[in-house]
Amino acid sequence: MPFTSPLKPSPDPRPVAPERVALAEWLDYHRAELLAKIDGLDDEQAARRVVPSLNTLHGLVRHLTKVEHVWFVTVMLGSDEPAPFGFPDRRDGDFLLDDDATLEQDVARFLRACERSRAIYEQFDLDDVGEHRRIGQVDLRWVMLHMIEEYAQHNGHADILRELIDGTTQS
């Protein structure tokens, strides 16, 4: 059965907004764009490898679920709660798709991770600092900008993967 994104249409961020609102709206925009790129695909298509790397559309959903966890739960909350897909011990666990999870299950997990990240975002000021194991201290503003960058990069990958799968392109 084809996937239907629960987040479409993508909400356009306001062209003029306070910093905190703009950051949240741009991140939500990119979250919705990710799911729009798999709209209409079935599990097999979303999991299809069309480039030499492990990149798949399904894998990108899982990867960004992990990224949400790392930056909001681990870094900003300071929680030692295990990240999804065995990170950091299991290399590329998010892209391996070897745990029989369906696209529907992983999208539901992604949506829960996004909701949790939004709730964490509301708990902190933009100047509040978290600790990243490799980078050191980062403030919430940096985390939000990095998340927007991460999604924009991977949404570009998703555009290419989708075009290679079924020829669909988005403007």
Side-chain angles (χ1 to χ4, degrees):
M1 177 186 313
F3 171 78
T4 302
S5 175
L7 298 182
K8 67 177 200 184
S10 301
D12 287 335
R14 288 178 251 179
V16 176
E19 179 183 22
R20 188 171 180 90
V21 171
L23 290 169
E25 286 182 357
W26 272 105
L27 184 51
D28 277 340
Y29 172 83
H30 281 291
R31 288 168 172 152
E33 280 295 298
L34 175 68
L35 296 188
K37 305 209 185 287
I38 57 174
D39 202 60
L41 297 180
D42 61 27
D43 276 18
E44 183 279 324
Q45 290 170 307
R48 189 180 301 166
R49 286 184 54 200
V50 293
V51 294
S53 70
L54 294 175
N55 255 333
T56 64
L57 291 168
H58 187 162
L60 287 173
V61 171
R62 290 166 57 107
H63 175 69
L64 288 158
T65 301
K66 177 193 77 180
V67 169
E68 292 275 352
H69 179 93
V70 167
W71 288 105
F72 289 99
V73 176
T74 304
V75 173
M76 290 310 301
L77 273 186
S79 172
D80 61 359
E81 178 184 327
F85 316 113
F87 181 81
D89 301 322
R90 187 166 187 245
R91 184 170 167 78
D92 296 324
D94 39 356
F95 287 103
L96 291 175
L97 305 180
D98 59 358
D99 59 4
D100 297 325
T102 66
L103 181 61
E104 181 180 346
Q105 291 167 328
D106 280 329
V107 166
R109 183 188 296 196
F110 169 78
L111 293 171
R112 287 190 305 272
C114 292
E115 277 303 312
R116 188 170 185 197
S117 295
R118 283 185 201 96
I120 293 167
Y121 179 65
E122 291 304 318
Q123 294 176 29
F124 292 95
D125 292 327
L126 291 176
D127 294 326
D128 287 343
V129 173
E131 186 75 27
H132 185 272
R133 64 183 172 83
R134 192 173 29 87
I135 298 171
Q137 289 192 329
V138 293
D139 63 23
L140 180 59
R141 180 182 294 100
W142 189 95
V143 169
M144 291 298 285
L145 290 168
H146 176 68
M147 290 295 293
I148 292 165
E149 169 199 35
E150 183 89 11
Y151 273 92
Q153 173 188 2
H154 288 308
N155 281 339
H157 298 149
D159 281 333
I160 293 166
L161 295 174
R162 179 63 188 256
E163 187 173 357
L164 290 170
I165 290 167
D166 70 356
T168 297
T169 59
Q170 295 179 344
S171 56

